[in-house]
Amino acid sequence: MSSPSLAYISSISRLFKSTTLTKGLVTELLAENDWKNVLSILKERNFIEDIPATFDDAEIEIKRRAIDQIYKILNFSSSVKSAHDIVDLYYYYLTLDEFKSIIAGIYNKSRPSKIVFLSKIYESNPTTIEELRSIIRGTIYSNALEYALSKNPKNLSQLESLLDFYFIDRLSSIIETFKGDWKAAAEAIICGYKDYYSASLAIRQKIVIPLTCKILPDIIRDLQSSKMEEVANILRRTQYSRNIELGDAYSALYSLYRLARIEARKASIYAFMGSPFTPVTALAISELIKLDMEDLIIIINGLKIKMNKEAIKSRLSLEII
């Protein structure tokens, strides 16, 4: 990798970082009681172009901003393959819900109601997995689908979970090629996700892929063979036991995911404080864009259903005192 190319992708990443959420803005948003007022503030701050009339449209606009940003960074990162592949994975992640909806439509012999970002695949109207394979050949969606199918999923639910897992598995593979400070900085961003995705796959789908960071592979195997009421006790044997809720399996998984998001945000911000010439900044800005999208949707959804403000804060990756 040439220094000019690395300097370029780093400078692009830093430019986009200046548009990410701040604690001040999130505090301002949480001071509102009406989710539509939040949209007005986001429009003033150029987070969205228009104020949608419905919550569903608001969610689409917030996703659109994130996807547009990732797409721009993807185009800018073509000269650094590792950075380009990382950003491409985030584009996949942000559009994965629609891809899974298209696949679910094939399994259920129905048409998804609203596909916005993968309209070309949708308009091709695949009615079988083989037709879908032909349509998406040569894309990251093809790679993900072949990965998931290679694990011999027993049903649609397992297939969808494996499509989720592809994101962290492939991301980990790219980061494994890094060395020294680059690898340490990138691993810090995805560490919690590796543990969450492996634990979730074992608990929900009884599939073991021991791609972990702080959780031992033996724990993942124990989670696979456990009953739901045993999950919390098994997770008590991990380094996360003091920082996650262990009342039941679902609350434990949710708090593990939230902890992974918090640590990913901190590590992503920290990545910009190190070497100015590193592909890790492409990973960091992609993660921050993803986290911003998720946090904004959590905020407007929480206000819409009149959730307690402290409860909303407890779900965000950006910690607000």
Side-chain angles (χ1 to χ4, degrees):
M1 288 179 233
S2 68
S3 292
S5 294
L6 289 173
Y8 179 68
I9 188 59
S10 293
S11 64
I12 291 297
S13 299
R14 291 174 191 279
L15 176 64
F16 277 89
K17 182 179 179 294
S18 67
T19 68
T20 56
L21 282 178
T22 63
K23 288 187 178 181
L25 177 55
V26 171
T27 300
E28 183 180 351
L29 298 178
L30 288 171
E32 298 295 333
N33 293 315
D34 188 330
W35 65 276
K36 291 185 179 180
N37 291 342
V38 167
L39 297 179
S40 296
I41 295 172
L42 292 177
K43 184 176 185 299
E44 291 173 6
R45 302 297 183 86
N46 296 317
F47 272 77
I48 55 176
E49 293 184 4
D50 299 301
I51 300 178
T54 68
F55 174 79
D56 287 346
D57 288 341
E59 185 172 344
I60 287 172
E61 283 307 305
I62 290 170
K63 284 185 177 180
R64 190 189 307 280
R65 175 184 187 264
I67 289 170
D68 285 350
Q69 286 186 313
I70 290 293
Y71 188 72
K72 289 176 182 176
I73 297 170
L74 185 64
N75 288 332
F76 287 134
S77 64
S78 58
S79 60
V80 180
K81 186 179 187 307
S82 59
H84 186 271
D85 289 348
I86 286 170
V87 180
D88 198 22
L89 278 167
Y90 275 86
Y91 189 88
Y92 165 80
Y93 177 94
L94 294 180
T95 56
L96 181 54
D97 282 348
E98 290 197 349
F99 187 52
K100 289 193 290 188
S101 291
I102 291 169
I103 291 174
I106 293 172
Y107 269 71
N108 299 326
K109 300 189 183 307
S110 62
R111 287 278 280 170
S113 58
K114 199 167 191 177
I115 299 295
V116 177
F117 305 108
L118 297 183
S119 57
K120 288 184 179 180
I121 299 175
Y122 174 72
E123 288 165 3
S124 297
N125 194 25
T127 57
T128 66
I129 292 297
E130 287 306 316
E131 287 181 7
L132 178 62
R133 277 173 151 166
S134 177
I135 291 165
I136 63 175
R137 186 174 292 119
T139 69
I140 193 168
Y141 303 100
S142 175
N143 296 338
L145 181 59
E146 295 309 317
Y147 169 91
L149 292 173
S150 73
K151 307 298 182 183
N152 299 313
K154 297 177 181 178
N155 50 48
L156 176 59
S157 179
Q158 285 193 351
L159 176 60
E160 290 180 335
S161 292
L162 288 164
L163 289 171
D164 289 330
F165 199 87
Y166 172 78
F167 167 75
I168 193 63
D169 197 336
R170 179 68 187 123
L171 192 56
S172 298
S173 297
I174 296 169
I175 290 170
E176 276 298 312
T177 66
F178 293 173
K179 299 183 185 302
D181 292 343
W182 287 11
K183 186 174 182 180
E187 279 288 343
I189 294 172
I190 69 166
C191 175
Y193 290 132
K194 290 165 70 171
D195 289 335
Y196 165 76
Y197 278 104
S198 291
S200 180
L201 195 64
I203 293 166
R204 298 177 191 272
Q205 303 296 355
K206 301 304 178 184
I207 297 173
V208 172
I209 304 179
L211 178 70
T212 58
C213 181
K214 296 178 182 178
I215 294 180
L216 296 174
D218 285 349
I219 298 273
I220 300 300
R221 284 187 281 270
D222 288 346
L223 289 171
Q224 182 217 18
S225 59
S226 69
K227 297 178 181 178
M228 292 303 282
E229 59 268 23
E230 298 170 333
V231 166
N233 282 333
I234 294 172
L235 289 175
R236 282 191 175 90
R237 292 154 44 196
T238 71
Q239 294 184 39
Y240 296 106
S241 60
R242 294 183 180 180
N243 299 310
I244 61 175
E245 297 177 22
L246 292 169
D248 60 74
Y250 293 107
S251 62
L253 275 177
Y254 183 84
S255 58
L256 181 60
Y257 183 58
R258 196 236 170 180
L259 186 61
R261 295 176 69 245
I262 290 172
E263 294 305 316
R265 183 177 284 278
K266 290 178 181 177
S268 294
I269 292 171
Y270 184 76
F272 285 94
M273 300 177 186
S275 168
F277 306 124
T278 166
V280 180
T281 54
L283 168 62
I285 189 56
S286 298
E287 179 62 26
L288 288 173
I289 289 169
K290 174 179 79 73
L291 291 172
D292 282 0
M293 180 198 77
E294 293 169 344
D295 281 354
L296 287 174
I297 290 172
I298 288 170
I299 290 170
I300 63 171
N301 186 56
L303 293 176
K304 179 177 179 288
I305 64 176
K306 307 298 181 185
M307 185 183 290
N308 178 279
K309 298 287 182 69
E310 292 304 314
I312 296 175
K313 290 180 184 179
S314 73
R315 288 162 170 75
L316 302 178
S317 68
L318 205 161
E319 294 181 290
I320 304 294
I321 299 174

